[in-house]
Amino acid sequence: MNEKKGEFMQTPCCYWLTGLPAAGKSSLAYRAAELLQEAGVRCHVLDGDALRSGINKDLGFDMASRQASVRRASEVARILMDAGLVVLVSLVSPYTKTRQEARDIMSSQGRFYEVYVNANLRTCMSRDPKGLYRAAMAGSLMNMTGLDDPYEVPETPDLTINTMVSSVEEGAMAIYRHFNMAHF
Ligand SMILES: Nc1ncnc2c1ncn2[C@@H]1O[C@H](COP(=O)(O)OP(=O)(O)OP(=O)(O)O)[C@@H](O)[C@H]1O
Ligand SMILES: [Mg+2]
């Protein structure tokens, strides 16, 4: 593996943020990316919502579609890592097996860090910034992770961020510090 890629002089790697809807994955990924960029680290966020409006717009929320969405995100992340970037992926990615597949896809290009963004269902339902839980409870949305679809909690994550305890800033700093400890 080429540890220092091209002109960026940084180690490509992936932070894969997984957790329930509204756990705080996107908030943390975008803020961590800002912190890294301010420090001169070239990085990119691959966010589930953005992917669903583009490369994944043909996919639904059944198990096969969720697996396909994770696989596509992994392949795009691998390409970005090959280009020398630090990639932050924010995707519910509820199944252990598909997260392992993501790790396998990317491991040839650099380190893969699984980040468990932990907030319990009650907290996520009270946040519900997109109204998804409300829609699911009202019966107008099926296959909602945490309600009628499973979420398999990571057993050995590289990093856990408990967003019921820490702020967005503290959580993003945890990723930033992890990167600095692991790569410098
Ligand atoms: N400590 C925290 N960390 C992250 N988000 C928090 C925290 N406290 C409150 N929030 C709020 O929780 C909400 C989480 O939304 P966000 O879109 O980041 O979640 P998500 O995990 O990306 O959800 P989805 O899977 O639906 O995309 C936001 O409104 C955010 O401001
Ligand atoms: Mg999100």
Side-chain angles (χ1 to χ4, degrees):
M1 183 174 65
N2 184 358
E3 284 283 298
K4 299 285 181 191
K5 289 267 185 167
E7 65 195 90
F8 302 147
M9 294 301 287
Q10 63 185 40
T11 309
C13 64
C14 176
Y15 284 90
W16 187 281
L17 282 69
T18 172
L20 286 171
K25 302 175 295 298
S26 301
S27 309
L28 289 169
Y30 284 113
R31 182 61 190 137
E34 278 175 4
L35 292 171
L36 289 164
Q37 263 153 4
E38 281 162 16
V41 177
R42 295 287 303 265
C43 54
H44 192 76
V45 175
L46 285 179
D47 185 68
D49 286 344
L51 295 172
R52 285 225 173 247
S53 67
I55 192 172
N56 286 342
K57 77 171 145 194
D58 56 323
L59 298 177
F61 291 89
D62 55 288
M63 192 182 210
S65 292
R66 287 182 191 275
Q67 284 171 336
S69 91
V70 169
R71 192 178 55 73
R72 288 182 196 174
S74 307
E75 293 289 356
V76 174
R78 190 174 66 82
I79 292 167
L80 295 175
M81 287 164 76
D82 188 36
L85 300 185
V86 171
V87 186
L88 299 114
V89 180
S90 43
L91 204 59
V92 175
S93 43
Y95 303 117
T96 303
K97 182 168 170 286
T98 45
R99 292 193 300 265
Q100 182 57 46
E101 283 163 9
R103 184 186 286 271
D104 293 342
I105 286 170
M106 274 171 266
S107 56
S108 63
Q109 293 299 338
R111 297 294 304 273
F112 176 98
Y113 303 113
E114 186 177 59
V115 182
Y116 175 37
V117 181
N118 181 10
N120 62 25
L121 185 61
R122 193 170 162 206
T123 303
C124 293
M125 289 182 77
S126 71
R127 291 179 183 163
D128 203 15
K130 301 181 214 160
L132 299 177
Y133 289 103
R134 278 192 298 283
M137 294 297 282
S140 55
L141 181 72
M142 309 305 285
N143 301 119
M144 180 67 186
T145 300
L147 294 179
D148 54 350
D149 238 37
Y151 178 78
E152 297 173 0
V153 172
E155 282 175 20
T156 53
D158 298 280
L159 190 60
T160 296
I161 298 173
N162 184 340
T163 67
M164 297 176 291
V165 173
S166 56
S167 66
V168 176
E169 196 61 24
E170 288 165 342
M173 274 304 293
I175 296 172
Y176 177 79
R177 272 198 306 273
H178 182 280
F179 177 82
N180 279 298
M181 296 225 322
H183 297 276
F184 292 103

